[in-house]
Amino acid sequence: MERSRSPPRYGSMEPTRWPPEDEIVSMADSTTTIDDIEGELFKIERIREILVRRESELRYMMDDIQLCKEISRLKKELQQLIVLPENEKSNEEKQKEEELVQQIHKLVETRDFLVDDVEFERLREREEDKEMAEFLQTPAKEKKMTSRGQQTSTPYVTKTGLTLLKECCGFTCSIM
């Protein structure tokens, strides 16, 4: 009498049931080609790049909104001090008025930098899109000859030291 061995039951109450051989799909049996897979990977990478760009835009927008709110709040506070006649203001009120003007000035400069940075990013993205369009127009044989790391891009605009520092350290750089 020959008994069939049952598969081990690792925590399961019932034995594991394997699908019949004809239900198993193998990658080797698939009609998908390497070019199809590379094309799909390229599409996924492109979508990822678009999402990263959108995230960056939203962060800039959020920073801009916060700066504008803070500037508006400080302007209202300043307006309350300006309404008072000059001869009735205390030294503290005059000092507070000067501090508010300096804070507003600093926030406006920060916002100007933010706007310049957004414009730089737009120019960089436009250059990347241009390079990608050129890459897609090249024949398939030439594409495989150069890897992404081997492709060099010419800068669209001249980079300042601060921009280079930002690229080096990212958005969290404490120097910025």
Side-chain angles (χ1 to χ4, degrees):
M1 234 163 130
E2 191 175 305
R3 289 187 179 178
S4 63
R5 286 179 60 170
S6 63
R9 297 182 190 189
Y10 298 104
S12 172
M13 297 300 285
E14 296 180 24
T16 304
R17 295 183 193 141
W18 297 99
E21 289 291 322
D22 59 340
E23 289 184 26
I24 297 175
V25 178
S26 169
M27 289 298 288
D29 296 336
S30 175
T31 59
T32 305
T33 65
I34 291 176
D35 289 337
D36 294 338
I37 294 170
E38 286 177 346
E40 197 68 27
L41 286 172
F42 176 77
K43 288 178 189 175
I44 291 169
E45 180 66 24
R46 188 69 181 134
I47 291 169
R48 188 190 71 74
E49 288 173 6
I50 290 169
L51 291 173
V52 167
R53 285 182 181 182
R54 183 63 180 152
E55 178 189 19
S56 177
E57 288 174 13
L58 292 172
R59 287 183 191 276
Y60 280 123
M61 290 169 67
M62 187 173 71
D63 290 347
D64 184 49
I65 290 169
Q66 288 175 345
L67 284 170
C68 288
K69 282 182 179 179
E70 184 65 14
I71 290 170
S72 295
R73 185 188 67 77
L74 292 174
K75 281 183 176 181
K76 285 178 185 176
E77 199 175 325
L78 181 62
Q79 187 65 34
Q80 292 172 351
L81 290 173
I82 291 176
V83 170
L84 298 172
E86 195 66 35
N87 57 358
E88 294 179 12
K89 291 182 188 176
S90 68
N91 286 337
E92 290 176 359
E93 290 172 329
K94 290 178 182 178
Q95 186 177 2
K96 179 70 173 174
E97 187 177 320
E98 185 62 34
E99 288 173 6
L100 287 173
V101 169
Q102 290 175 357
Q103 288 176 349
I104 291 170
H105 180 70
K106 188 174 183 178
L107 289 174
V108 168
E109 285 180 339
T110 302
R111 188 171 181 273
D112 286 347
F113 177 77
L114 183 72
V115 170
D116 290 343
D117 203 34
V118 168
E119 184 61 25
F120 176 79
E121 287 295 316
R122 285 187 184 143
L123 293 173
R124 185 185 58 78
E125 289 170 1
R126 189 177 300 149
E127 182 65 20
E128 285 178 2
D129 290 343
K130 180 181 164 187
E131 288 176 0
M132 184 58 66
E134 290 172 1
F135 175 74
L136 292 174
Q137 291 176 354
T138 59
K141 288 181 181 180
E142 290 179 30
K143 286 181 190 176
K144 292 185 180 185
M145 295 299 287
T146 60
S147 70
R148 187 175 200 127
Q150 294 170 332
Q151 296 174 6
T152 58
S153 62
T154 55
Y156 191 71
V157 294
T158 304
K159 296 179 181 180
T160 65
L162 192 56
T163 305
L164 290 172
L165 179 65
K166 182 172 182 196
E167 287 179 357
C168 169
C169 302
F171 288 90
T172 59
C173 183
S174 61
I175 297 174
M176 298 192 48

